[in-house]
Amino acid sequence: MKKKFNFLLLLGVILVSLTTACSKKDSKPKTNPEPSASSLINAKFNSSLANGHFTQTINSDEMSQKSKSEGLFKDKGDVTNLTYTLTQKKKSQTEQMWLTKKDMYLLLEQNKGHWIKNSANANTFDPDQVKERFNPATFKKINKALAKKATVQKKNGNYDISFNGTDSNLWNAVNPLVIDAMNTPGSQNMQVARLVKSAQVQNLKVTYLIDPTTKNVESMTFKAQYIAGGKYNFTWTLTYDQLGQHADLAVPADIQKNAIDAEEIKKAQAEQNKQ
């Protein structure tokens, strides 16, 4: 009888231990999984790109060429401020531009400090080639391809959505941005387009930082190394930041007032040629 009692007592202790262990296991707080890359990217993407700042560089040592463009934008690029510098074999040339729906203001080195005003559709200038990089619709394919491959993690208080590799779908989606980077502002070169589309990507890194509370995109960074033409190595970077901080962007009043009208210059040249 004593042995039976000891056995029942031992069994009771085991059952109590198991019950306690299960209770502790069930009482642990469940951790919620991170939101999907797609849900985070699409939550406030269009409104996040209402205005902001951008910086872009592209470099090829083999071609002894590098360029940098930097500026501000709002309303899908309908107001854009751009500074563009092209360096070839240590010789640099810088252009400044203000672009609106109707007008283009240019400050070239040969203008000797004077802004020139022209129509936004003047001559062979293509304003869309400047503005498309600020249009949320341009990123539709990029965002779709990124969402399929990106990892999501919390980093410095933001959601970090990133990809680092050589995915062909994402590279193809990014191609239009790279093509624009290799063209001078406002010009389209089909040879450049073919060169980029056939380029061999060595590495592509894309990172979006998104505020976990507002779901606003805080910044976007694109970095790529690729070989074009079979022999030219390129490094390209493009960053969008200060998003939502430039809602009051406008062409400065003094530039609008003092800019020399290109049509007036043409008329003066025509009169001079008649003499």
Side-chain angles (χ1 to χ4, degrees), residues 145-182:
L146 176 62
K148 290 180 179 180
K149 296 291 183 177
T151 58
V152 179
Q153 60 180 327
K154 276 286 189 70
K155 195 172 183 180
N156 298 326
N158 285 318
Y159 279 117
D160 180 300
I161 301 170
S162 60
F163 170 83
N164 191 354
T166 57
D167 183 71
S168 59
N169 288 331
L170 184 54
W171 172 243
N172 290 336
V174 168
N175 259 210
L177 295 178
V178 183
I179 291 169
D180 283 348
M182 292 182 69

Side-chain angles (χ1 to χ4, degrees), residues 48 158 209-211 214 216-220 240-243:
S48 294
N158 285 318
L209 295 182
I210 296 179
D211 187 299
T214 64
N216 289 330
V217 180
E218 295 291 302
S219 67
M220 303 187 298
Y240 297 84
D241 54 16
Q242 300 176 21
L243 299 178

Side-chain angles (χ1 to χ4, degrees), residues 78-261:
D78 280 343
V79 180
T80 299
N81 172 226
L82 174 69
T83 299
Y84 177 83
T85 300
L86 176 64
T87 302
Q88 291 180 301
K89 297 181 179 180
K90 298 181 179 181
K91 184 179 179 180
S92 296
Q93 182 173 344
T94 298
E95 302 176 5
Q96 293 184 56
M97 175 192 298
W98 277 95
L99 181 65
T100 69
K101 281 185 176 181
K102 294 173 56 179
D103 301 313
M104 170 180 58
Y105 298 84
L106 282 175
L107 181 62
L108 309 178
E109 291 181 359
Q110 58 265 36
N111 292 354
K112 299 180 180 180
H114 296 291
W115 285 87
I116 304 297
K117 178 183 176 181
N118 209 338
S119 166
N121 295 298
N123 303 323
T124 58
F125 181 79
D126 181 5
D128 287 339
Q129 200 262 328
V130 172
K131 299 193 299 183
E132 280 179 357
R133 72 196 71 182
F134 310 122
N135 188 340
T138 301
F139 296 86
K140 187 174 181 180
K141 289 183 179 179
I142 296 174
N143 293 346
K144 186 177 180 180
L146 176 62
K148 290 180 179 180
K149 296 291 183 177
T151 58
V152 179
Q153 60 180 327
K154 276 286 189 70
K155 195 172 183 180
N156 298 326
N158 285 318
Y159 279 117
D160 180 300
I161 301 170
S162 60
F163 170 83
N164 191 354
T166 57
D167 183 71
S168 59
N169 288 331
L170 184 54
W171 172 243
N172 290 336
V174 168
N175 259 210
L177 295 178
V178 183
I179 291 169
D180 283 348
M182 292 182 69
N183 284 318
T184 56
S187 68
Q188 289 182 326
N189 187 320
M190 291 307 297
Q191 185 175 354
V192 168
R194 287 192 292 268
L195 197 66
V196 174
K197 288 181 179 180
S198 62
Q200 298 174 318
V201 61
Q202 304 300 300
N203 190 70
L204 173 63
K205 184 176 182 181
V206 182
T207 303
Y208 288 12
L209 295 182
I210 296 179
D211 187 299
T213 303
T214 64
K215 298 300 186 294
N216 289 330
V217 180
E218 295 291 302
S219 67
M220 303 187 298
T221 302
F222 302 83
K223 296 182 179 181
Q225 289 84 43
Y226 59 95
I227 299 175
K231 58 181 177 179
Y232 300 113
N233 289 284
F234 283 89
T235 301
W236 167 71
T237 63
L238 172 61
T239 298
Y240 297 84
D241 54 16
Q242 300 176 21
L243 299 178
Q245 299 180 28
H246 298 281
D248 58 350
L249 184 66
V251 181
D254 61 330
I255 292 179
Q256 295 185 57
K257 179 181 178 181
N258 299 320
I260 301 171
D261 195 310

